[in-house]
Short mmCIF file of all heavy atoms in Angstrom, two decimals:
data_model
loop_
_atom_site.label_atom_id
_atom_site.label_comp_id
_atom_site.label_asym_id
_atom_site.label_seq_id
_atom_site.Cartn_x
_atom_site.Cartn_y
_atom_site.Cartn_z
N MET N 163 28.49 -100.65 -144.35
CA MET N 163 27.52 -99.76 -144.94
C MET N 163 28.00 -99.40 -146.34
O MET N 163 29.19 -99.28 -146.60
CB MET N 163 27.37 -98.51 -144.08
CG MET N 163 26.30 -97.57 -144.59
SD MET N 163 26.17 -96.06 -143.66
CE MET N 163 25.34 -96.64 -142.21
N SER N 164 27.07 -99.20 -147.23
CA SER N 164 27.44 -98.87 -148.60
C SER N 164 27.96 -97.44 -148.69
O SER N 164 27.72 -96.60 -147.81
CB SER N 164 26.23 -99.03 -149.53
OG SER N 164 25.30 -98.02 -149.28
N GLU N 165 28.66 -97.17 -149.75
CA GLU N 165 29.23 -95.84 -149.96
C GLU N 165 28.13 -94.79 -150.12
O GLU N 165 28.24 -93.67 -149.63
CB GLU N 165 30.12 -95.87 -151.19
CG GLU N 165 30.91 -94.61 -151.40
CD GLU N 165 31.89 -94.75 -152.54
OE1 GLU N 165 32.44 -95.84 -152.75
OE2 GLU N 165 32.10 -93.75 -153.23
N THR N 166 27.05 -95.16 -150.81
CA THR N 166 25.94 -94.24 -151.00
C THR N 166 25.31 -93.86 -149.66
O THR N 166 25.00 -92.69 -149.41
CB THR N 166 24.88 -94.86 -151.91
OG1 THR N 166 25.50 -95.27 -153.13
CG2 THR N 166 23.77 -93.89 -152.20
N GLY N 167 25.14 -94.82 -148.78
CA GLY N 167 24.57 -94.55 -147.47
C GLY N 167 25.44 -93.61 -146.66
O GLY N 167 24.95 -92.71 -145.97
N GLU N 168 26.76 -93.80 -146.75
CA GLU N 168 27.68 -92.92 -146.03
C GLU N 168 27.60 -91.49 -146.55
O GLU N 168 27.67 -90.53 -145.78
CB GLU N 168 29.10 -93.45 -146.15
CG GLU N 168 29.32 -94.74 -145.41
CD GLU N 168 30.71 -95.32 -145.64
OE1 GLU N 168 31.55 -94.64 -146.25
OE2 GLU N 168 30.93 -96.45 -145.20
N ILE N 169 27.44 -91.33 -147.86
CA ILE N 169 27.33 -90.00 -148.46
C ILE N 169 26.07 -89.30 -147.97
O ILE N 169 26.11 -88.13 -147.57
CB ILE N 169 27.36 -90.09 -149.99
CG1 ILE N 169 28.74 -90.53 -150.47
CG2 ILE N 169 26.96 -88.77 -150.63
CD1 ILE N 169 28.82 -90.86 -151.94
N PHE N 170 24.95 -90.00 -147.98
CA PHE N 170 23.69 -89.40 -147.54
C PHE N 170 23.72 -89.08 -146.05
O PHE N 170 23.17 -88.07 -145.62
CB PHE N 170 22.50 -90.28 -147.89
CG PHE N 170 22.11 -90.19 -149.34
CD1 PHE N 170 22.25 -91.28 -150.17
CD2 PHE N 170 21.64 -89.01 -149.87
CE1 PHE N 170 21.90 -91.20 -151.50
CE2 PHE N 170 21.28 -88.91 -151.19
CZ PHE N 170 21.41 -90.01 -152.02
N ASN N 171 24.36 -89.93 -145.25
CA ASN N 171 24.49 -89.63 -143.82
C ASN N 171 25.34 -88.39 -143.60
O ASN N 171 25.03 -87.56 -142.74
CB ASN N 171 25.09 -90.82 -143.08
CG ASN N 171 24.12 -91.96 -142.93
OD1 ASN N 171 22.91 -91.77 -143.03
ND2 ASN N 171 24.65 -93.16 -142.72
N ALA N 172 26.40 -88.23 -144.37
CA ALA N 172 27.25 -87.05 -144.25
C ALA N 172 26.48 -85.79 -144.66
O ALA N 172 26.62 -84.74 -144.03
CB ALA N 172 28.50 -87.21 -145.11
N MET N 173 25.66 -85.89 -145.71
CA MET N 173 24.86 -84.74 -146.14
C MET N 173 23.85 -84.35 -145.06
O MET N 173 23.66 -83.16 -144.78
CB MET N 173 24.13 -85.07 -147.45
CG MET N 173 25.04 -85.11 -148.66
SD MET N 173 24.31 -85.73 -150.18
CE MET N 173 22.73 -84.98 -150.25
N ARG N 174 23.22 -85.34 -144.45
CA ARG N 174 22.25 -85.08 -143.39
C ARG N 174 22.93 -84.42 -142.18
O ARG N 174 22.42 -83.46 -141.62
CB ARG N 174 21.57 -86.37 -142.97
CG ARG N 174 20.48 -86.15 -141.92
CD ARG N 174 19.90 -87.44 -141.41
NE ARG N 174 20.93 -88.14 -140.64
CZ ARG N 174 21.19 -89.43 -140.73
NH1 ARG N 174 20.50 -90.20 -141.53
NH2 ARG N 174 22.14 -89.99 -140.01
N ASP N 175 24.11 -84.90 -141.82
CA ASP N 175 24.84 -84.33 -140.69
C ASP N 175 25.27 -82.90 -140.98
O ASP N 175 25.23 -82.04 -140.09
CB ASP N 175 26.05 -85.18 -140.35
CG ASP N 175 25.67 -86.55 -139.81
OD1 ASP N 175 24.52 -86.72 -139.36
OD2 ASP N 175 26.52 -87.46 -139.87
N HIS N 176 25.66 -82.62 -142.22
CA HIS N 176 26.06 -81.25 -142.59
C HIS N 176 24.86 -80.32 -142.51
O HIS N 176 24.96 -79.19 -142.02
CB HIS N 176 26.66 -81.25 -144.00
CG HIS N 176 27.20 -79.93 -144.40
ND1 HIS N 176 26.54 -79.10 -145.26
CD2 HIS N 176 28.32 -79.27 -144.03
CE1 HIS N 176 27.23 -77.99 -145.42
NE2 HIS N 176 28.33 -78.07 -144.69
N LYS N 177 23.70 -80.77 -142.98
CA LYS N 177 22.48 -79.95 -142.92
C LYS N 177 22.10 -79.66 -141.46
O LYS N 177 21.69 -78.55 -141.12
CB LYS N 177 21.35 -80.69 -143.64
CG LYS N 177 20.09 -79.90 -143.79
CD LYS N 177 20.23 -78.86 -144.85
CE LYS N 177 18.86 -78.41 -145.31
NZ LYS N 177 18.94 -77.50 -146.41
N LYS N 178 22.24 -80.66 -140.58
CA LYS N 178 21.95 -80.47 -139.16
C LYS N 178 22.89 -79.42 -138.56
O LYS N 178 22.47 -78.57 -137.78
CB LYS N 178 22.13 -81.77 -138.39
CG LYS N 178 20.93 -82.67 -138.40
CD LYS N 178 21.20 -83.85 -137.48
CE LYS N 178 20.04 -84.78 -137.44
NZ LYS N 178 20.29 -85.91 -136.52
N ALA N 179 24.17 -79.47 -138.93
CA ALA N 179 25.14 -78.51 -138.41
C ALA N 179 24.83 -77.10 -138.91
O ALA N 179 24.95 -76.12 -138.16
CB ALA N 179 26.55 -78.92 -138.80
N LEU N 180 24.42 -76.98 -140.17
CA LEU N 180 24.03 -75.68 -140.72
C LEU N 180 22.84 -75.10 -139.96
O LEU N 180 22.82 -73.92 -139.61
CB LEU N 180 23.68 -75.79 -142.20
CG LEU N 180 24.82 -75.84 -143.20
CD1 LEU N 180 24.26 -76.09 -144.60
CD2 LEU N 180 25.63 -74.56 -143.17
N ARG N 181 21.84 -75.92 -139.72
CA ARG N 181 20.65 -75.45 -139.01
C ARG N 181 20.98 -75.07 -137.58
O ARG N 181 20.42 -74.12 -137.04
CB ARG N 181 19.56 -76.52 -139.03
CG ARG N 181 18.92 -76.66 -140.40
CD ARG N 181 17.91 -77.75 -140.44
NE ARG N 181 16.95 -77.60 -139.35
CZ ARG N 181 15.80 -78.21 -139.30
NH1 ARG N 181 15.45 -79.02 -140.27
NH2 ARG N 181 14.98 -78.04 -138.30
N ALA N 182 21.91 -75.80 -136.94
CA ALA N 182 22.29 -75.48 -135.56
C ALA N 182 23.03 -74.14 -135.49
O ALA N 182 22.86 -73.38 -134.54
CB ALA N 182 23.16 -76.59 -134.98
N LYS N 183 23.84 -73.86 -136.50
CA LYS N 183 24.66 -72.64 -136.47
C LYS N 183 23.93 -71.42 -137.02
O LYS N 183 23.99 -70.34 -136.44
CB LYS N 183 25.95 -72.87 -137.26
CG LYS N 183 26.93 -71.74 -137.15
CD LYS N 183 28.26 -72.10 -137.74
CE LYS N 183 29.26 -70.97 -137.52
NZ LYS N 183 30.57 -71.31 -138.04
N TYR N 184 23.23 -71.57 -138.16
CA TYR N 184 22.64 -70.43 -138.85
C TYR N 184 21.11 -70.40 -138.83
O TYR N 184 20.51 -69.46 -139.32
CB TYR N 184 23.09 -70.40 -140.32
CG TYR N 184 24.58 -70.22 -140.48
CD1 TYR N 184 25.37 -71.25 -140.97
CD2 TYR N 184 25.20 -69.03 -140.15
CE1 TYR N 184 26.73 -71.09 -141.12
CE2 TYR N 184 26.56 -68.85 -140.30
CZ TYR N 184 27.32 -69.89 -140.79
OH TYR N 184 28.67 -69.73 -140.93
N GLY N 185 20.47 -71.43 -138.31
CA GLY N 185 19.02 -71.51 -138.35
C GLY N 185 18.34 -70.62 -137.31
O GLY N 185 18.87 -70.39 -136.23
N VAL N 186 17.17 -70.11 -137.68
CA VAL N 186 16.34 -69.33 -136.75
C VAL N 186 14.91 -69.89 -136.81
O VAL N 186 14.48 -70.44 -137.82
CB VAL N 186 16.32 -67.82 -137.09
CG1 VAL N 186 17.68 -67.20 -136.92
CG2 VAL N 186 15.80 -67.57 -138.47
N ASN N 187 14.19 -69.72 -135.72
CA ASN N 187 12.80 -70.16 -135.69
C ASN N 187 11.93 -69.25 -136.55
O ASN N 187 12.12 -68.03 -136.56
CB ASN N 187 12.27 -70.16 -134.26
CG ASN N 187 12.93 -71.22 -133.42
OD1 ASN N 187 13.45 -72.20 -133.92
ND2 ASN N 187 12.92 -71.02 -132.12
N CYS N 188 10.99 -69.82 -137.24
CA CYS N 188 10.07 -69.06 -138.08
C CYS N 188 9.15 -68.22 -137.19
O CYS N 188 8.45 -68.76 -136.33
CB CYS N 188 9.24 -70.02 -138.93
SG CYS N 188 7.98 -69.21 -139.92
N PRO N 189 9.14 -66.89 -137.37
CA PRO N 189 8.29 -66.06 -136.52
C PRO N 189 6.80 -66.25 -136.79
O PRO N 189 5.98 -66.09 -135.88
CB PRO N 189 8.73 -64.64 -136.84
CG PRO N 189 9.35 -64.72 -138.18
CD PRO N 189 9.93 -66.09 -138.30
N GLN N 190 6.41 -66.59 -138.02
CA GLN N 190 5.01 -66.79 -138.34
C GLN N 190 4.46 -68.07 -137.72
O GLN N 190 3.28 -68.13 -137.37
CB GLN N 190 4.81 -66.82 -139.85
CG GLN N 190 5.06 -65.49 -140.51
CD GLN N 190 4.09 -64.44 -140.03
OE1 GLN N 190 2.89 -64.67 -139.93
NE2 GLN N 190 4.61 -63.27 -139.70
N CYS N 191 5.30 -69.08 -137.57
CA CYS N 191 4.85 -70.31 -136.91
C CYS N 191 4.48 -70.03 -135.46
O CYS N 191 3.52 -70.60 -134.94
CB CYS N 191 5.94 -71.38 -136.97
SG CYS N 191 6.13 -72.16 -138.58
N ALA N 192 5.25 -69.17 -134.81
CA ALA N 192 4.97 -68.84 -133.41
C ALA N 192 3.64 -68.10 -133.27
O ALA N 192 2.95 -68.23 -132.26
CB ALA N 192 6.10 -68.00 -132.84
N ILE N 193 3.27 -67.33 -134.28
CA ILE N 193 2.01 -66.57 -134.24
C ILE N 193 0.84 -67.47 -134.61
O ILE N 193 -0.18 -67.50 -133.91
CB ILE N 193 2.08 -65.38 -135.21
CG1 ILE N 193 3.14 -64.38 -134.73
CG2 ILE N 193 0.73 -64.71 -135.36
CD1 ILE N 193 3.48 -63.31 -135.74
N LYS N 194 0.96 -68.21 -135.70
CA LYS N 194 -0.16 -69.00 -136.20
C LYS N 194 -0.37 -70.31 -135.45
O LYS N 194 -1.50 -70.78 -135.35
CB LYS N 194 0.05 -69.30 -137.68
CG LYS N 194 -0.01 -68.05 -138.54
CD LYS N 194 0.16 -68.38 -140.00
CE LYS N 194 0.10 -67.10 -140.83
NZ LYS N 194 0.30 -67.37 -142.25
N ARG N 195 0.71 -70.91 -134.96
CA ARG N 195 0.61 -72.18 -134.25
C ARG N 195 1.46 -72.09 -132.98
O ARG N 195 2.54 -72.66 -132.91
CB ARG N 195 1.11 -73.32 -135.13
CG ARG N 195 0.37 -73.45 -136.43
CD ARG N 195 0.96 -74.52 -137.35
NE ARG N 195 2.37 -74.28 -137.64
CZ ARG N 195 3.35 -75.14 -137.36
NH1 ARG N 195 3.09 -76.30 -136.81
NH2 ARG N 195 4.60 -74.85 -137.63
N PRO N 196 1.00 -71.39 -131.95
CA PRO N 196 1.86 -71.14 -130.78
C PRO N 196 2.24 -72.38 -129.98
O PRO N 196 3.27 -72.37 -129.32
CB PRO N 196 1.03 -70.17 -129.94
CG PRO N 196 -0.36 -70.32 -130.41
CD PRO N 196 -0.30 -70.76 -131.83
N LYS N 197 1.47 -73.44 -130.04
CA LYS N 197 1.79 -74.62 -129.25
C LYS N 197 2.68 -75.62 -130.00
O LYS N 197 3.25 -76.52 -129.39
CB LYS N 197 0.51 -75.32 -128.80
CG LYS N 197 -0.28 -74.51 -127.80
CD LYS N 197 -1.46 -75.28 -127.28
CE LYS N 197 -2.20 -74.45 -126.25
NZ LYS N 197 -3.33 -75.19 -125.68
N ALA N 198 2.81 -75.46 -131.29
CA ALA N 198 3.63 -76.37 -132.08
C ALA N 198 5.07 -75.86 -132.14
O ALA N 198 5.34 -74.68 -131.95
CB ALA N 198 3.07 -76.49 -133.49
N HIS N 199 5.99 -76.76 -132.43
CA HIS N 199 7.39 -76.36 -132.60
C HIS N 199 7.52 -75.58 -133.91
O HIS N 199 7.01 -76.02 -134.94
CB HIS N 199 8.30 -77.58 -132.65
CG HIS N 199 8.39 -78.31 -131.35
ND1 HIS N 199 9.14 -77.84 -130.31
CD2 HIS N 199 7.83 -79.45 -130.93
CE1 HIS N 199 9.03 -78.66 -129.29
NE2 HIS N 199 8.24 -79.66 -129.63
N PRO N 200 8.20 -74.43 -133.90
CA PRO N 200 8.35 -73.65 -135.13
C PRO N 200 9.36 -74.30 -136.08
O PRO N 200 10.25 -75.03 -135.64
CB PRO N 200 8.86 -72.30 -134.64
CG PRO N 200 9.53 -72.60 -133.35
CD PRO N 200 8.77 -73.75 -132.75
N SER N 201 9.23 -74.03 -137.35
CA SER N 201 10.20 -74.49 -138.33
C SER N 201 11.51 -73.74 -138.13
O SER N 201 11.51 -72.57 -137.76
CB SER N 201 9.69 -74.21 -139.75
OG SER N 201 8.48 -74.87 -139.98
N ILE N 202 12.62 -74.42 -138.38
CA ILE N 202 13.93 -73.78 -138.29
C ILE N 202 14.36 -73.45 -139.71
O ILE N 202 14.49 -74.33 -140.55
CB ILE N 202 14.95 -74.70 -137.61
CG1 ILE N 202 14.49 -75.02 -136.20
CG2 ILE N 202 16.33 -74.04 -137.59
CD1 ILE N 202 15.34 -76.04 -135.49
N LEU N 203 14.56 -72.16 -139.97
CA LEU N 203 14.84 -71.70 -141.32
C LEU N 203 16.28 -71.24 -141.48
O LEU N 203 16.82 -70.54 -140.62
CB LEU N 203 13.92 -70.52 -141.68
CG LEU N 203 12.42 -70.77 -141.59
CD1 LEU N 203 11.68 -69.47 -141.88
CD2 LEU N 203 12.01 -71.85 -142.55
N LEU N 204 16.88 -71.62 -142.59
CA LEU N 204 18.17 -71.08 -143.00
C LEU N 204 17.91 -69.80 -143.79
O LEU N 204 16.77 -69.55 -144.19
CB LEU N 204 18.91 -72.09 -143.87
CG LEU N 204 19.39 -73.36 -143.15
CD1 LEU N 204 19.95 -74.34 -144.16
CD2 LEU N 204 20.43 -73.01 -142.11
N PRO N 205 18.92 -68.96 -144.02
CA PRO N 205 18.70 -67.73 -144.78
C PRO N 205 18.09 -68.00 -146.15
O PRO N 205 18.49 -68.93 -146.86
CB PRO N 205 20.11 -67.15 -144.91
CG PRO N 205 20.83 -67.66 -143.72
CD PRO N 205 20.27 -69.04 -143.49
N GLN N 206 17.10 -67.19 -146.51
CA GLN N 206 16.36 -67.26 -147.79
C GLN N 206 15.51 -68.52 -147.94
O GLN N 206 14.97 -68.78 -149.01
CB GLN N 206 17.31 -67.14 -148.99
CG GLN N 206 17.96 -65.79 -149.11
CD GLN N 206 16.94 -64.70 -149.40
OE1 GLN N 206 16.09 -64.85 -150.27
NE2 GLN N 206 17.03 -63.62 -148.66
N GLN N 207 15.35 -69.31 -146.90
CA GLN N 207 14.53 -70.52 -146.97
C GLN N 207 13.07 -70.17 -146.70
O GLN N 207 12.76 -69.30 -145.88
CB GLN N 207 15.01 -71.55 -145.96
CG GLN N 207 14.33 -72.89 -146.08
CD GLN N 207 14.93 -73.89 -145.10
OE1 GLN N 207 15.65 -73.53 -144.18
NE2 GLN N 207 14.61 -75.15 -145.32
N ARG N 208 12.15 -70.84 -147.38
CA ARG N 208 10.72 -70.62 -147.20
C ARG N 208 10.16 -71.68 -146.25
O ARG N 208 10.48 -72.86 -146.37
CB ARG N 208 10.01 -70.71 -148.54
CG ARG N 208 8.51 -70.46 -148.45
CD ARG N 208 7.84 -70.48 -149.79
NE ARG N 208 8.30 -69.43 -150.66
CZ ARG N 208 7.85 -68.17 -150.63
NH1 ARG N 208 6.93 -67.84 -149.77
NH2 ARG N 208 8.31 -67.27 -151.47
N CYS N 209 9.31 -71.24 -145.33
CA CYS N 209 8.65 -72.15 -144.40
C CYS N 209 7.58 -72.92 -145.17
O CYS N 209 6.74 -72.34 -145.85
CB CYS N 209 8.02 -71.36 -143.25
SG CYS N 209 7.15 -72.39 -142.05
N ARG N 210 7.57 -74.23 -145.03
CA ARG N 210 6.60 -75.06 -145.75
C ARG N 210 5.20 -74.95 -145.16
O ARG N 210 4.22 -75.25 -145.82
CB ARG N 210 7.03 -76.52 -145.70
CG ARG N 210 8.26 -76.80 -146.50
CD ARG N 210 8.58 -78.27 -146.44
NE ARG N 210 9.76 -78.56 -147.25
CZ ARG N 210 10.22 -79.76 -147.46
NH1 ARG N 210 9.61 -80.79 -146.91
NH2 ARG N 210 11.28 -79.94 -148.20
N VAL N 211 5.10 -74.53 -143.90
CA VAL N 211 3.81 -74.49 -143.23
C VAL N 211 3.03 -73.23 -143.58
O VAL N 211 1.87 -73.29 -143.97
CB VAL N 211 4.00 -74.61 -141.70
CG1 VAL N 211 2.67 -74.51 -140.99
CG2 VAL N 211 4.70 -75.90 -141.36
N ASP N 212 3.67 -72.07 -143.45
CA ASP N 212 2.93 -70.82 -143.65
C ASP N 212 3.46 -69.94 -144.77
O ASP N 212 2.92 -68.88 -145.02
CB ASP N 212 2.86 -70.03 -142.34
CG ASP N 212 4.21 -69.84 -141.71
OD1 ASP N 212 5.16 -69.49 -142.42
OD2 ASP N 212 4.32 -70.06 -140.50
N GLY N 213 4.54 -70.33 -145.43
CA GLY N 213 5.03 -69.59 -146.59
C GLY N 213 5.94 -68.42 -146.28
O GLY N 213 6.35 -67.69 -147.18
N TYR N 214 6.31 -68.22 -145.02
CA TYR N 214 7.20 -67.12 -144.65
C TYR N 214 8.59 -67.38 -145.23
O TYR N 214 9.10 -68.49 -145.18
CB TYR N 214 7.28 -67.00 -143.13
CG TYR N 214 8.27 -65.98 -142.63
CD1 TYR N 214 7.95 -64.63 -142.61
CD2 TYR N 214 9.52 -66.37 -142.18
CE1 TYR N 214 8.85 -63.70 -142.14
CE2 TYR N 214 10.43 -65.45 -141.72
CZ TYR N 214 10.10 -64.10 -141.70
OH TYR N 214 11.00 -63.19 -141.25
N ARG N 215 9.24 -66.33 -145.78
CA ARG N 215 10.60 -66.47 -146.29
C ARG N 215 11.54 -65.66 -145.39
O ARG N 215 11.30 -64.50 -145.11
CB ARG N 215 10.73 -65.96 -147.72
CG ARG N 215 12.13 -66.14 -148.27
CD ARG N 215 12.28 -65.68 -149.70
NE ARG N 215 11.48 -66.45 -150.63
CZ ARG N 215 11.87 -67.61 -151.18
NH1 ARG N 215 13.03 -68.12 -150.88
NH2 ARG N 215 11.09 -68.22 -152.03
N ASP N 216 12.62 -66.30 -144.96
CA ASP N 216 13.61 -65.65 -144.11
C ASP N 216 14.34 -64.58 -144.93
O ASP N 216 14.90 -64.88 -145.98
CB ASP N 216 14.59 -66.69 -143.60
CG ASP N 216 15.55 -66.15 -142.56
OD1 ASP N 216 15.40 -64.98 -142.17
OD2 ASP N 216 16.44 -66.90 -142.14
N PRO N 217 14.32 -63.31 -144.49
CA PRO N 217 14.88 -62.22 -145.29
C PRO N 217 16.39 -62.08 -145.23
O PRO N 217 16.96 -61.25 -145.96
CB PRO N 217 14.21 -60.98 -144.69
CG PRO N 217 13.97 -61.34 -143.29
CD PRO N 217 13.64 -62.81 -143.29
N ARG N 218 17.09 -62.86 -144.42
CA ARG N 218 18.54 -62.71 -144.30
C ARG N 218 19.21 -63.07 -145.63
O ARG N 218 18.70 -63.87 -146.40
CB ARG N 218 19.08 -63.63 -143.21
CG ARG N 218 18.56 -63.27 -141.84
CD ARG N 218 19.07 -64.21 -140.79
NE ARG N 218 18.55 -65.56 -141.04
CZ ARG N 218 19.08 -66.66 -140.54
NH1 ARG N 218 20.14 -66.62 -139.79
NH2 ARG N 218 18.54 -67.85 -140.81
N PRO N 219 20.38 -62.45 -145.91
CA PRO N 219 21.09 -62.78 -147.15
C PRO N 219 21.55 -64.24 -147.15
O PRO N 219 21.83 -64.82 -146.10
CB PRO N 219 22.28 -61.83 -147.17
CG PRO N 219 22.43 -61.35 -145.78
CD PRO N 219 21.09 -61.46 -145.12
N GLU N 220 21.62 -64.80 -148.33
CA GLU N 220 21.99 -66.21 -148.49
C GLU N 220 23.40 -66.46 -147.96
O GLU N 220 24.25 -65.57 -147.98
CB GLU N 220 21.91 -66.58 -149.96
CG GLU N 220 21.91 -68.05 -150.22
CD GLU N 220 21.53 -68.38 -151.65
OE1 GLU N 220 20.81 -67.60 -152.27
OE2 GLU N 220 21.99 -69.42 -152.13
N LEU N 221 23.65 -67.67 -147.49
CA LEU N 221 24.96 -68.02 -146.96
C LEU N 221 26.01 -67.97 -148.07
O LEU N 221 25.74 -68.36 -149.21
CB LEU N 221 24.94 -69.43 -146.36
CG LEU N 221 24.10 -69.66 -145.12
CD1 LEU N 221 24.13 -71.12 -144.74
CD2 LEU N 221 24.59 -68.81 -143.98
N THR N 222 27.21 -67.52 -147.72
CA THR N 222 28.30 -67.53 -148.69
C THR N 222 28.86 -68.95 -148.77
O THR N 222 28.59 -69.80 -147.90
CB THR N 222 29.41 -66.57 -148.27
OG1 THR N 222 29.95 -67.00 -147.01
CG2 THR N 222 28.90 -65.14 -148.15
N ASP N 223 29.64 -69.19 -149.79
CA ASP N 223 30.26 -70.53 -149.92
C ASP N 223 31.17 -70.83 -148.74
O ASP N 223 31.23 -71.96 -148.26
CB ASP N 223 31.06 -70.62 -151.23
CG ASP N 223 30.16 -70.65 -152.44
OD1 ASP N 223 28.98 -71.04 -152.32
OD2 ASP N 223 30.64 -70.29 -153.54
N GLN N 224 31.86 -69.81 -148.25
CA GLN N 224 32.75 -69.99 -147.11
C GLN N 224 31.97 -70.36 -145.86
O GLN N 224 32.36 -71.27 -145.13
CB GLN N 224 33.56 -68.71 -146.87
CG GLN N 224 34.63 -68.87 -145.83
CD GLN N 224 35.72 -69.86 -146.27
OE1 GLN N 224 36.01 -69.97 -147.45
NE2 GLN N 224 36.27 -70.56 -145.31
N GLN N 225 30.85 -69.69 -145.60
CA GLN N 225 30.02 -70.02 -144.44
C GLN N 225 29.45 -71.42 -144.57
O GLN N 225 29.36 -72.17 -143.59
CB GLN N 225 28.87 -69.02 -144.31
CG GLN N 225 29.28 -67.66 -143.88
CD GLN N 225 28.11 -66.69 -143.92
OE1 GLN N 225 27.28 -66.76 -144.84
NE2 GLN N 225 28.04 -65.79 -142.96
N TYR N 226 29.06 -71.79 -145.78
CA TYR N 226 28.47 -73.10 -146.02
C TYR N 226 29.48 -74.22 -145.74
O TYR N 226 29.15 -75.27 -145.22
CB TYR N 226 27.96 -73.18 -147.45
CG TYR N 226 27.15 -74.39 -147.76
CD1 TYR N 226 25.82 -74.50 -147.36
CD2 TYR N 226 27.71 -75.48 -148.45
CE1 TYR N 226 25.07 -75.62 -147.64
CE2 TYR N 226 26.95 -76.60 -148.72
CZ TYR N 226 25.64 -76.67 -148.33
OH TYR N 226 24.92 -77.79 -148.59
N GLN N 227 30.75 -73.97 -146.08
CA GLN N 227 31.78 -74.99 -145.93
C GLN N 227 32.40 -75.02 -144.54
O GLN N 227 32.97 -76.04 -144.13
CB GLN N 227 32.87 -74.79 -146.97
CG GLN N 227 32.40 -75.04 -148.37
CD GLN N 227 33.44 -74.69 -149.41
OE1 GLN N 227 34.52 -74.21 -149.08
NE2 GLN N 227 33.12 -74.92 -150.67
N ASP N 228 32.33 -73.92 -143.79
CA ASP N 228 32.99 -73.84 -142.48
C ASP N 228 32.30 -74.66 -141.40
O ASP N 228 32.88 -74.85 -140.34
CB ASP N 228 33.09 -72.39 -142.02
CG ASP N 228 34.20 -71.65 -142.72
OD1 ASP N 228 35.05 -72.32 -143.36
OD2 ASP N 228 34.23 -70.41 -142.64
N VAL N 229 31.13 -75.10 -141.62
CA VAL N 229 30.38 -75.82 -140.58
C VAL N 229 30.97 -77.18 -140.34
O VAL N 229 31.51 -77.85 -141.07
CB VAL N 229 28.90 -75.95 -140.96
CG1 VAL N 229 28.15 -76.77 -139.95
CG2 VAL N 229 28.31 -74.58 -141.08
#
């Protein structure tokens, strides 16, 4: 595999780990679309479906790297 592919795979895996540890389900998705899977939001992330922004404080550099 090329070096670029390995880098992108590592970035994708890191994002998955962040969402597993710090992600929460969008509360507006559960209200507006109860049968669909809700978006998983990281702190300060905006939901692409309904525009809800997660009010939690942004992750620190240490939290971002510890995953």
